[in-house]
Amino acid sequence: MEHSSWNALEYTQIKEMIKNLTVTSLGKEEIEKVEPSANFHQVEHQLQITAEAMDFLRLRGEVSLYGLEDIRNALKRVTKGSILQIEECWDIATTIHAGRQIKSSMRQLPEENVPLTYLRKNCEQIASLDELEEEIKRCIGEDLDVKSAASVELRSIRQKLVSGRQRIQETLHQMLRSTRIQKMLQESLITIRNDRYVIPIKAEYRGSLAGIVHDQSASGATLYVEPASVVALNNQLRTWELDESREIDKILSALSDLVAEVTNELTQNIAILGELDGLFAKAEFARIQRAMVPKLTNKGPLVLKQARHPLLARETAVPIDLMLGKDTQAIIITGPNTGGKTVTLKTVGLLALMTQSGFPIPVLEGTVMPVFSGIFADIGDEQSIEQSLSTFSSHMTKIIRILDKIDHRGLVLFDELGAGTDPTEGAAMAVAILNHVLKKGCSIVATTHYSELKVFAHTHPNAVNASVQFDVETLRPTYKLEVGVPGESNAFSIAKRLGLSDAIIEAAKEEISQEESRLEEVITSLAKAKREAEEEGTRALHLREEAEKLYQDVRGKWQHWEEEKHQLHEKARQEARSIVNKATREAEEVLTELRAWAKERPQDIKEHKLTEARSKLEQANPGVTLVAPVETFAPETELLSVGDEVKAKSFGQKGTVVEILTDNQYRVQVGSLKLVLNRTGLTKLKSTVSTTKPITSVRSRSFVKSEIDLRGKLVEEALLDIEKYLDDAILAGFKQIHLIHGKGTGALRKGVHTYLAKHRRVASYRNGEYSEGGLGVTVVELK
């Protein structure tokens, strides 16, 4: 892809931000290698991997690659027969440990809930070199010293070294305590020079103590002498130290041989762990920036939802919404300087580069990003004294290079197109360039101050105006992008706010041609009308969605109520049968007792009387079941009257005609709702018949209303009506009913509430809301 625009769009700064989140140089190299791709499937794959890393980080909370080191040079050396250093061996051990830890962390996540296909596959390929790690850590400690336990020989040598050093120090301490030696000492201490134990002697006693002078102080006043009595001991100590060094070399050589056997596995581990380091850096970047992986499209539009420039502080950056594609091929942004036009331009280009690099971007759900063949930007002024380039020449040089490379899948970004030359010629040039790029099929985002480009965007079928808003009262930009509305000229308003006289401002206005002034007014008014139409359309869409939601909600409730009714029928049947069965058992017990009594007093009761009683009991439990009523309907042409039971075709529910509005319209009570429906949408219920007589009578909901009117009644009368109505409503399967008692003095409402508070089948009750009748209605929830 085109590289020349990366710096202008600040892409390299984003890579640096992500590189700084890696743990090792391996991860930094992985990020450094990343470049935007124009291949859809490659971009899709990279974004999928990034999404997996984000999921892993979200589920685990944090990712530990502690101990991972770049051991590639050590592996190269060991393959050539070199002996590894202690630090290199230790780095290999900790790198093996890091691989095992990340592999274990991946296995701890349940695969059925979190597939993470790519990450799991890679982690499973990490070689578990536990034995090599254990052997290295058996021989080398965290202090990067070879342990005495590494070999029997090393342990023996170090024991000799400890013993030899003790003997030398004991000998020298005895000399320091000697009165003859004490007067020669500069200080009463033992030190080391050239790996030999010595004592500091005053220079004037140079020939008074037999031994070897190894050093002297800077002033020459002190000589560091190895007394003759410890020369042999020091020599022996030096021999053992050489033996120790040779033994350590043998141990490191053995470890190097073990490493050489698994260099391929270690090389593969390093490649996988380095890639994981880079992936987890992307995931951490997403967490910090609250970024996400956008939906990718091959041919669809670019849609940004609350997009932010990642280099701006999240708390202060004003997010933008923007769509580019379908009917909108070009967006022309106008507005004041420092208002955010260039930031918007950079945001679009940078997020496109980041997406095609597999980086998460700071946007919200609903964002869709296409894969562009190239992202070309003419941003900034590259004047050069050496090259003798003016502002206009600089822009044109870049634009010419862009025009030579673009194709129908390119994204082109122009900042202040046509600037740096005569306004008339610059505007004409800008329009020509835009037309040329549009014919190529590219997507365009351009910023400008020229009114001619506002007209171009307003009249071209594939272009649209946009603006960054400016608050004239505060003289500050809001940085808010508004698509569909061109930026207004605020020069006169700003000048007036700053104190420029009205006379000068009016004179300036007269200098503007009437055509240009009217053009600006027309564009502004048309843009305003378009914005208002879009807002009305949006409101209408919301109202439609709310109506659809309400309709679905009502249908759902009716279906739920019907299910509850059938359940209540079945429950009533079972309860009735249970009662009869219980009565039968109790009667059998009574009959048994009667027979026993009859045997004792046969003259008082006869057997046929007992048989007759038993027969009557059996007839009381015929065992029939409830059968749903069969509905029959009156002819469609039959007129409807108030009180007729009808069925609403669109709802599939029953109701009652409560008012005749016209010859063709009726107000129908359906449950707690009153609906105005046409005659064609209603079917009059003629009658209902049942094929089997039920054991218990259950009132059909179609004959029980969801409300009862108690107005004008005394409390005692109302309570009797409520008692019967509650029984009917419960049997009909209602869960909510309305008691209409009016407001009045409140005595009836108080009596109703007292009664409801004690009723065992009342779950709760409340005063009606404003739309339900307010304090004149009590809404009751039934168990």
Side-chain angles (χ1 to χ4, degrees):
M1 286 187 67
E2 172 74 12
H3 289 203
S4 60
S5 300
W6 291 5
N7 286 334
L9 293 173
E10 297 165 328
Y11 174 70
T12 51
Q13 285 100 308
I14 297 298
K15 287 183 67 172
E16 285 299 319
M17 286 179 66
I18 300 176
K19 280 167 62 177
N20 291 334
L21 297 173
T22 59
V23 177
T24 67
S25 58
L26 298 166
K28 287 180 171 56
E29 288 181 15
E30 288 293 322
I31 299 300
E32 187 59 38
K33 289 189 299 185
V34 173
E35 288 190 358
S37 170
N39 184 293
F40 179 84
H41 296 292
Q42 185 177 348
V43 173
E44 185 178 43
H45 177 65
Q46 289 301 319
L47 287 176
Q48 180 182 353
I49 296 172
T50 301
E52 288 189 11
M54 292 165 61
D55 287 340
F56 185 86
L57 184 64
R58 174 176 54 83
L59 293 169
R60 296 295 300 179
E62 61 179 0
V63 179
S64 175
L65 288 173
Y66 177 76
L68 177 61
E69 298 289 344
D70 185 0
I71 59 173
R72 289 173 296 181
N73 288 335
L75 296 180
K76 288 180 183 178
R77 290 181 56 248
V78 80
T79 55
K80 296 178 180 179
S82 298
I83 297 177
L84 298 175
Q85 300 298 314
I86 294 175
E87 294 83 357
E88 292 173 321
C89 290
W90 182 255
D91 288 346
I92 290 171
T94 59
T95 298
I96 295 172
H97 178 78
R100 186 174 69 254
Q101 287 293 102
I102 197 68
K103 188 174 183 179
S104 174
S105 296
M106 186 64 67
R107 287 179 172 176
Q108 289 173 12
L109 293 177
E111 190 169 356
E112 59 274 13
N113 298 331
V114 191
L116 303 180
T117 307
Y118 183 84
L119 292 184
R120 288 185 190 277
K121 179 181 177 182
N122 267 22
C123 286
E124 286 303 318
Q125 292 177 356
I126 296 175
S128 300
L129 305 173
D130 298 352
E131 293 181 0
L132 176 58
E133 179 192 352
E134 290 173 2
E135 181 61 18
I136 292 174
K137 291 184 175 180
R138 186 188 70 83
C139 297
I140 300 173
E142 293 184 2
D143 57 355
L144 299 182
D145 192 13
V146 176
K147 296 179 180 178
S148 298
S151 72
V152 175
E153 293 79 3
L154 184 61
R155 183 187 298 276
S156 174
I157 292 169
R158 286 186 171 170
Q159 288 175 347
K160 293 176 182 177
L161 284 170
V162 171
S163 175
R165 291 189 182 104
Q166 289 177 347
R167 289 178 58 192
I168 292 173
Q169 290 182 7
E170 289 174 358
T171 303
L172 291 177
H173 277 300
Q174 288 179 359
M175 293 181 66
L176 294 178
R177 288 193 293 269
S178 170
T179 55
R180 186 179 72 86
I181 300 298
Q182 284 181 354
K183 64 180 181 179
M184 303 180 189
L185 296 175
Q186 191 70 266
E187 292 181 85
S188 181
L189 59 83
I190 299 171
T191 185
I192 295 175
R193 289 293 187 274
N194 300 327
D195 296 327
R196 314 282 287 192
Y197 284 95
V198 297
I199 58 176
I201 301 296
K202 295 175 183 178
E204 58 265 28
Y205 294 100
R206 176 184 294 270
S208 302
L209 180 65
I212 302 170
V213 176
H214 286 279
D215 197 4
Q216 67 179 9
S217 64
S219 63
T222 304
L223 303 177
Y224 296 95
V225 178
E226 177 186 7
S229 58
V230 297
V231 170
L233 294 175
N234 269 329
N235 288 341
Q236 183 62 60
L237 192 65
R238 184 58 182 157
T239 300
W240 288 333
E241 288 174 347
L242 293 174
D243 291 341
E244 178 189 35
S245 179
R246 284 191 290 269
E247 185 60 25
I248 289 174
D249 287 343
K250 285 174 59 179
I251 294 168
L252 294 177
S253 178
L255 293 176
S256 300
D257 291 341
L258 293 176
V259 172
E261 294 175 2
V262 291
T263 51
N264 291 336
E265 290 86 342
L266 286 169
T267 300
Q268 177 178 281
N269 286 6
I270 281 296
I272 295 172
L273 292 171
E275 182 183 8
L276 290 177
D277 189 12
L279 286 174
F280 292 142
K282 295 179 188 179
E284 180 65 13
F285 173 80
R287 186 187 65 79
I288 294 171
Q289 291 285 335
R290 296 181 187 173
M292 58 165 287
V293 170
K295 179 182 178 183
L296 208 62
T297 178
N298 202 1
K299 296 181 180 179
L302 180 152
V303 181
L304 294 179
K305 297 288 186 181
Q306 296 292 286
R308 293 180 293 101
H309 195 294
L311 294 180
L312 297 178
R314 188 173 62 245
E315 297 77 13
T316 58
V318 177
I320 63 170
D321 291 321
L322 180 145
M323 187 178 78
L324 188 60
K326 290 187 178 179
D327 298 331
T328 305
Q329 192 180 340
I331 296 177
I332 310 301
I333 306 174
T334 51
N337 289 328
T338 70
K341 300 193 303 295
T342 303
V343 171
T344 299
L345 204 70
K346 287 185 175 182
T347 300
V348 175
L350 178 58
L351 297 191
L353 286 173
M354 291 173 65
T355 298
Q356 294 179 219
S357 301
F359 295 157
I361 58 176
V363 293
L364 295 186
E365 289 288 344
T367 294
V368 182
M369 295 295 292
V371 175
F372 297 104
S373 60
I375 298 160
F376 308 92
D378 170 30
I379 299 176
D381 182 9
E382 295 182 358
Q383 293 189 55
S384 171
I385 296 176
E386 294 179 2
Q387 298 179 8
S388 300
L389 292 178
S390 66
T391 298
F392 181 74
S393 299
S394 173
H395 281 295
M396 288 309 302
T397 300
K398 286 187 285 186
I399 290 172
I400 292 169
R401 185 172 65 247
I402 290 171
L403 297 181
D404 288 339
K405 295 182 178 180
I406 57 175
D407 61 18
H408 68 285
R409 291 177 52 234
L411 172 64
V412 183
L413 309 170
F414 292 125
D415 189 24
E416 298 296 347
L417 183 60
T421 187
D422 177 77
T424 303
E425 294 180 353
M429 186 73 71
V431 170
I433 291 171
L434 288 175
N435 272 317
H436 176 79
V437 178
L438 285 171
K439 287 178 183 178
K440 286 275 190 176
C442 292
S443 299
I444 305 171
V445 181
T447 68
T448 184
H449 284 290
Y450 294 143
S451 296
E452 290 86 347
L453 293 191
K454 297 180 188 179
V455 178
F456 172 83
H458 192 74
T459 57
H460 196 286
N462 300 120
V464 66
N465 274 302
S467 60
V468 286
Q469 300 303 308
F470 188 88
D471 190 337
V472 179
E473 295 298 321
T474 62
L475 301 182
R476 292 177 179 273
T478 65
Y479 303 106
K480 182 181 179 182
L481 179 71
E482 192 168 5
V483 178
V485 180
E488 298 180 6
S489 175
N490 295 301
F492 295 144
S493 300
I494 294 172
K496 186 173 183 179
R497 290 281 299 172
L498 292 175
L500 190 64
S501 69
D502 293 340
I504 296 176
I505 293 174
E506 290 301 321
K509 288 181 178 179
E510 291 176 1
E511 293 296 322
I512 300 177
S513 66
Q514 292 184 358
E515 290 81 2
E516 185 175 349
S517 179
R518 283 199 300 269
L519 179 63
E520 190 77 26
E521 291 175 0
V522 168
I523 293 175
T524 302
S525 62
L526 287 174
K528 182 180 179 181
K530 179 181 178 182
R531 179 171 55 188
E532 290 174 351
E534 290 176 348
E535 290 174 353
E536 288 296 328
T538 302
R539 281 196 291 269
L541 181 61
H542 288 166
L543 289 174
R544 179 180 176 181
E545 290 175 350
E546 288 178 5
E548 290 284 345
K549 184 178 179 181
L550 179 61
Y551 172 72
Q552 295 298 332
D553 186 48
V554 170
R555 285 185 62 89
K557 286 182 178 179
W558 273 112
Q559 292 173 358
H560 180 65
W561 289 341
E562 285 297 318
E563 291 173 2
E564 287 188 345
K565 180 183 74 175
H566 291 305
Q567 292 173 3
L568 188 59
H569 287 176
E570 179 63 21
K571 183 178 179 181
R573 184 186 68 79
Q574 293 176 357
E575 289 178 353
R577 174 170 290 177
S578 175
I579 291 169
V580 173
N581 288 340
K582 181 179 179 183
T584 301
R585 288 193 301 271
E586 292 175 351
E588 286 287 351
E589 294 173 359
V590 172
L591 288 173
T592 301
E593 293 177 2
L594 285 174
R595 285 194 180 94
W597 183 61
K599 289 180 181 179
E600 297 175 359
R601 304 183 64 182
Q603 69 281 6
D604 293 339
I605 191 163
K606 301 300 182 182
E607 180 63 28
H608 74 276
K609 294 292 185 180
L610 297 175
T611 304
E612 183 180 348
R614 181 190 179 110
S615 176
K616 290 181 179 179
L617 282 171
E618 289 175 349
Q619 291 174 5
N621 186 14
V624 296
T625 58
L626 289 172
V627 176
V630 178
E631 297 175 347
T632 60
F633 304 100
E636 293 287 340
T637 57
E638 185 174 326
L639 296 177
L640 300 179
S641 303
V642 174
D644 285 347
E645 301 295 330
V646 294
K647 188 170 186 177
K649 296 179 181 179
S650 58
F651 291 93
Q653 304 298 332
K654 300 173 188 176
T656 305
V657 176
V658 295
E659 185 180 353
I660 300 174
L661 302 176
T662 65
D663 292 341
N664 190 41
Q665 282 193 330
Y666 301 84
R667 191 182 304 280
V668 180
Q669 180 82 37
V670 180
S672 61
L673 300 176
K674 289 185 179 179
L675 307 175
V676 176
L677 299 173
N678 291 331
R679 178 64 181 88
T680 55
L682 297 171
T683 301
K684 181 179 178 182
L685 291 174
K686 187 175 181 181
S687 63
T688 60
V689 297
S690 298
T691 60
T692 307
K693 184 178 181 180
I695 194 169
T696 302
S697 175
V698 180
R699 293 291 300 272
S700 171
R701 180 183 293 180
S702 62
F703 295 100
V704 180
K705 297 182 180 180
S706 64
E707 63 184 29
I708 181 172
D709 194 342
L710 306 170
R711 288 175 290 185
K713 296 185 178 182
L714 297 175
V715 174
E716 291 76 16
E717 295 175 328
L719 295 183
L720 290 174
D721 290 345
I722 292 173
E723 183 176 11
K724 181 178 182 301
Y725 174 70
L726 285 177
D727 292 338
D728 292 341
I730 291 168
L731 290 175
F734 285 114
K735 284 296 182 181
Q736 184 184 86
I737 58 173
H738 293 71
L739 307 181
I740 304 172
H741 43 65
K743 299 179 181 178
T745 62
L748 181 54
R749 180 176 72 249
K750 184 176 179 182
V752 168
H753 286 188
T754 303
Y755 174 78
L756 294 174
K758 299 177 181 178
H759 200 287
R760 63 187 181 85
R761 296 304 298 271
V762 173
S764 64
Y765 61 91
R766 60 176 174 80
N767 291 324
E769 295 180 357
Y770 179 78
S771 60
E772 297 172 321
L775 294 176
V777 175
T778 295
V779 181
V780 183
E781 301 289 339
L782 299 176
K783 296 182 180 177

